[in-house]
Amino acid sequence: MSVDAQDSPDTGELARTPEQIPEGQHGFWTGRSGLVVAGILAAIGAYLVVGIVIMDVPEGAKVPGPTFFPILIAIAVFVLAALLAVQTLRKPEPVPATEGNARFHTDWKSLGLVFGSFLAFALLLVPVGWLISAALLFWGVSRALGSRRPLFDVGLALVFSSCIQLAFGAGLGLNLPGGILEGIYG
Amino acid sequence: MESLSLLMEGFSQALTPMNLLWVFVGAFLGTAVGVLPGLGSSMAVALLLPVTFSLDPVGAFIMFAGVYFGGLFGDSTMGILMNTPGGATAIATTFEGHRMAKTGRAPQALATSAIGAFIGGLIATTLVVFFAPKLADIAVMFGPAEYFALAVFAFIATASVVSDSVIKGLSALVIGLALAVVGIDGISGASRFTADMPQLFDGISIIVITVGVLALGEVLHVASRIHRDPKLSAIAVSGRPFLSKREFREALPAWLRGTAFGVPFGVIPVGGAEVPTFMAYGTERQLDRKRRNPQFGKGAIRGVAAPEAAGNATSGTAMGALLALGLPTSATAAIMLAAFQQYGLQPGPLLFERNADLVWALLASLFVGLVMLLVLNLPFAPLWAKLLLIPKPYLYAGITVFCGLGVYATSAATSDLLIVLAIGALGFVLRRYGFPLAPIMIGVVLGPLAETSLRNAMMSSGGEIAVLVHSPVTWTLYGILALVLVYTAWRRIVSRARVDV
């Protein structure tokens, strides 16, 4: 299980010292964005409920049937979502007042670039092939994480994806999609 | 002494040049993945699973033996040098280990942790060799109600002991349980929560979930903070990588005590080695306070030795529980279980009879792997730290590509790549708000066991709930669980009272 150093208490000097900002300087949502998790839980619960209602239970299924356990989970999910929401509303996250709060907020640009790169990889893998889509993924992620040499990265990404293609495809016999380059190597 | 002769046969299989090579490759790659920040033993196994697909079962499991322990040897290295533990099991080691490194004793800290991991793993694996067959005999006495009690024990213990907020722990647990019910129901054949997509009929694979929650979630988390967090730097390692006689004598009792903590927790499912490592660390600190010259806080060698031995001892006996009971007690063990099933093998009491040669070859290679890892880690730990010279963007880009490779290679389905991205995003959100990730994995791993045993127990009793508490074994399990909860609550109240003062 990987737990991030920042999330675990007292890992030495890594743990920052959050200084509370006086009340009233932030809007309602400051420190309460954790409600997102309660929302996700509620959404999971809703999906479970819909699934339980429309489930096609085969004739003669013994009791307790296939819906029994999911019903228990759905109840637990809703109870916990409510508890989480109450907890987040009553005790918002403390806002550390360092460097204009910049470090506290999520870097949506980098995050979006990583997410988008992986999505593109997933969608392009079969039509375009491993070599190019994996190189694109490598390039996108390294760019998102602050690499500043785009042209060099293109070369490195292509070398990296070809090495994997060689080692796993040719060496270990794993079937990686060839895509548009099918037939050129293989 | 039947075990010994069987083990010797296992060694004769494991010690062929080809199989030695596989153990070495496994140990090498396992350490490499373990050393990378944020990736621990379970990621090593999940990401390296595709590598083994083209091997025969014996070769594959021999390689896994190396990967399995390799990830554990690696993850404390970064904790000691950079204060970034590779996995939850390495957190306890990090406290004193990083202090030792800061006072110029990094090589000794690395050596203490490597030897500790070796001793813990060695003793635990030896116990497995002698007791796993007996464990399999006991397992026959376990019916559905007992297995359900065991699963409930694991759920509650993981959610409440491991995390600092019970609500957050339980939330993570139910997310895991919800992920586990997707797919065709094994008992009735009903299709559940699949939205009629054939890709979901087999459920969401444990590999997809592990890679999503642990690896892709980690990459997203790093991406969200890379321009925000201060840069970390590793402490340079120089000097003798060996322990002096005095240091060795100082660490030895801690290694043994740590092992004693770790061994039972491999069989008790409380979410892996996190609990025993912290218990071992806490005990050493208590003992240290009573000494004339307390070392804790200044880089105590015992604070490194005990948790590290405990972590590996847990993993050793966890392998025993997996082989003999078919019970995965950690995420790593669960992926191993998936690997067994990929080869059409079902771990459990019958495995020792049906696939004896494979089991004993695996156990023998665990020993071989431990020796190799000691050799790989003791003198060369500083070299492993050089992995960090790879610029961060390329390191994480490489990890991401391997996530994609690992997921696609297990199923050859684009849908799995989309699912892993969704789960990775979920993992990122949970990380961001400080939710523990261990309960998710336990929910996914033991959810199906809990469900089938609960339903089987109730079917055989005709719907009577009382069947769940009908036997002494279940009383014992629920009793211990109650004690654990009371103890945790008491510890929290005490620590809160201390903070107030």
Side-chain angles (χ1 to χ4, degrees), chain B residues 177-202:
Chain B
L177 289 174
L179 287 173
V181 289
V182 176
I184 302 268
D185 172 34
I187 298 178
S188 67
S191 151
R192 300 195 293 183
F193 313 107
T194 54
D196 286 331
M197 283 189 284
Q199 294 92 335
L200 284 178
F201 286 173
D202 282 337

Side-chain angles (χ1 to χ4, degrees), chain B residues 120 123-124 127 258-267 310 313-314 317-318:
Chain B
I123 293 178
L127 288 173
T259 307
F261 273 112
V263 161
F265 278 95
V267 192
T314 305
T317 41

Side-chain angles (χ1 to χ4, degrees), chain A residues 1 11 33 66 103 105 153, chain B residues 83 88 192 225 228 394 433:
Chain A
M1 301 291 104
T11 346
S33 60
R103 278 179 25 202
H105 290 294
D153 289 357
Chain B
N83 208 9
R192 300 195 293 183
R225 313 215 56 95
R228 306 283 152 97
Y394 301 140
Y433 293 105

Side-chain angles (χ1 to χ4, degrees), chain B residues 109-358:
Chain B
L110 291 172
T112 313
S113 107
I115 300 174
F118 177 74
I119 291 180
L122 189 69
I123 293 178
T125 313
T126 313
L127 288 173
V128 168
V129 164
F130 287 103
F131 291 104
K134 290 197 180 62
L135 209 58
D137 291 341
I138 298 172
V140 179
M141 287 167 23
F142 268 51
E146 285 78 10
Y147 273 112
F148 181 68
L150 209 56
V152 169
F153 184 96
F155 292 157
I156 307 293
T158 315
S160 58
V161 178
V162 174
S163 62
D164 50 342
S165 153
V166 180
I167 298 180
K168 285 183 173 177
L170 286 175
S171 305
L173 174 71
V174 292
I175 291 176
L177 289 174
L179 287 173
V181 289
V182 176
I184 302 268
D185 172 34
I187 298 178
S188 67
S191 151
R192 300 195 293 183
F193 313 107
T194 54
D196 286 331
M197 283 189 284
Q199 294 92 335
L200 284 178
F201 286 173
D202 282 337
I204 305 173
S205 135
I206 176 85
I207 293 159
V208 170
I209 296 173
T210 320
V211 171
V213 171
L214 299 182
L216 209 52
E218 173 74 19
V219 173
L220 289 170
H221 185 76
V222 171
S224 77
R225 313 215 56 95
I226 191 105
H227 301 303
R228 306 283 152 97
D229 283 341
K231 284 216 163 59
L232 300 169
S233 54
I235 288 173
V237 182
S238 58
R240 66 195 161 93
F242 298 101
L243 297 177
S244 70
K245 223 178 205 168
R246 206 178 61 80
E247 284 165 329
F248 192 85
R249 242 182 290 143
E250 166 98 8
L252 187 62
W255 282 325
L256 297 178
R257 278 195 292 261
T259 307
F261 273 112
V263 161
F265 278 95
V267 192
I268 310 171
V270 288
E274 207 169 355
V275 175
T277 49
F278 272 96
M279 283 172 70
Y281 174 78
T283 310
E284 291 305 320
R285 192 163 63 178
Q286 295 287 340
L287 289 173
D288 186 68
R289 280 196 187 134
K290 295 193 181 112
R291 295 169 83 192
R292 233 178 303 154
N293 180 15
Q295 292 291 313
F296 269 65
K298 293 183 253 173
I301 197 162
R302 289 185 172 180
V304 177
E308 199 58 24
N312 254 31
T314 305
S315 304
T317 41
M319 183 61 92
L322 177 68
L323 291 174
L325 304 175
L327 177 76
T329 51
S330 65
T332 321
I335 302 167
M336 294 284 288
L337 181 66
F340 271 103
Q341 285 162 347
Q342 200 111 33
Y343 286 103
L345 305 164
Q346 184 58 47
L350 288 175
L351 188 71
F352 279 81
E353 287 167 28
R354 288 195 193 144
N355 302 91
D357 52 336
L358 191 143

Side-chain angles (χ1 to χ4, degrees), chain B residues 48-60:
Chain B
L48 295 174
L49 191 61
V51 182
T52 61
F53 282 165
S54 52
L55 304 178
D56 64 303
V58 178

Side-chain angles (χ1 to χ4, degrees), chain B residues 362-414:
Chain B
L362 174 63
L363 288 173
S365 21
L366 284 176
F367 286 108
V368 179
L370 278 170
V371 175
M372 276 191 183
L373 280 163
L374 191 67
V375 175
L376 272 176
N377 278 275
L378 198 53
F380 299 119
L383 285 182
W384 288 111
K386 295 255 188 309
L387 268 180
L388 290 183
L389 293 180
I390 303 173
K392 246 187 173 182
Y394 301 140
L395 186 63
Y396 284 100
I399 292 172
T400 318
V401 171
F402 263 96
C403 291
L405 176 73
V407 168
Y408 188 79
T410 37
S411 64
T414 308

